[in-house]
Amino acid sequence: MSARSEKAVRIEPSEARGSRDGSLRDALVLAAVPVVLALAAVSGFAQSALLSLAVVLAAVGLVFVGFERSRPGLRQVMPAVVLGALAAAGRVLFAPLPDFKPVSAICILAGVVFGRRCGFMVGALAALVSNFFFGQGPWTPWQMYGWGLIGYLAGVLADTGLFDRFRPTVYAYGFLSGLLYGIVLDSWHVIGYISPLTWEGALLSYGAGLPFNVVHGVATAAFLLALYAPWRRKLERIRAKYALMGED
């Protein structure tokens, strides 16, 4: 059984409502990004790249603000900071191997053990910090959103108990997360840089990125096979020792 369900904690009704409201707000904010991308593509809006960039920046910023408004203590923040730093270091360490990185796997672990917001924070911080080495640019917010979304959805799936009931699902999600990340970044490229936007051009762009996205998915599943069980046990012991309750 997950450590998230091992420790009985009394939650006041107002706290439970606040948690539900925060989760709903986060979900709506994160869902706004693909909705805006789709609307921009359909409408042929001339400034699609600028609009989508503004929306993804707002989405990432609002999730950060929501995390801050939950008033986490220092010990609640530390897992996100440490795991984000480990993910960033792993991305730099595996720089010679394109798309073969442990970042998504660490985001998934963070979401599973510490909750969806922590998973998002780890992904966003990993992208931001590692890009001081790889180079910052308009792609950075999209990488923050993509990896953050992977960690967030891992927390959502962990809350359903799916990963505990059937372990292979976490590895399957790891593979699919590589494709999800690729779709996010490829969609930004399609909306922002293909003009005029046509189905043929979009499909060619997605097709060109598919091999790299598959490598990303395979790498994530491989890192999860190696890290998921031992790292999860250690992280759950830390969670229990320091009473680090999830924010969800």
Side-chain angles (χ1 to χ4, degrees), residues 59-179:
V60 172
L62 286 171
V63 176
F64 271 72
V65 169
F67 183 76
E68 176 63 25
R69 288 186 64 182
S70 67
R71 297 181 181 178
L74 179 60
R75 62 181 180 178
Q76 296 286 108
V77 174
M78 286 306 296
V81 173
V82 173
L83 289 173
L86 283 173
R91 187 184 178 202
V92 173
L93 181 64
F94 283 86
L97 302 176
D99 293 284
F100 199 92
K101 307 288 190 293
V103 181
S104 295
I106 296 175
C107 295
I108 291 169
L109 275 160
V112 169
V113 178
F114 295 107
R116 60 192 73 176
R117 276 186 180 167
C118 183
F120 186 91
M121 297 294 291
V122 168
L125 289 172
L128 179 63
V129 172
S130 61
N131 275 359
F132 285 106
F133 176 85
F134 291 104
Q136 303 287 354
W139 52 85
T140 298
W142 289 99
Q143 292 174 327
M144 293 173 69
Y145 173 82
W147 270 315
L149 185 63
I150 288 171
Y152 188 91
L153 292 178
V156 171
L157 292 173
D159 285 343
T160 68
L162 180 64
F163 293 158
D164 292 321
R165 289 194 301 270
F166 191 53
R167 175 66 64 81
T169 56
V170 74
Y171 308 126
Y173 174 67
F175 175 76
L176 293 174
S177 72
L179 302 183

Side-chain angles (χ1 to χ4, degrees), residues 2 54 155 189 245:
S2 169
H189 172 79
M245 300 312 300

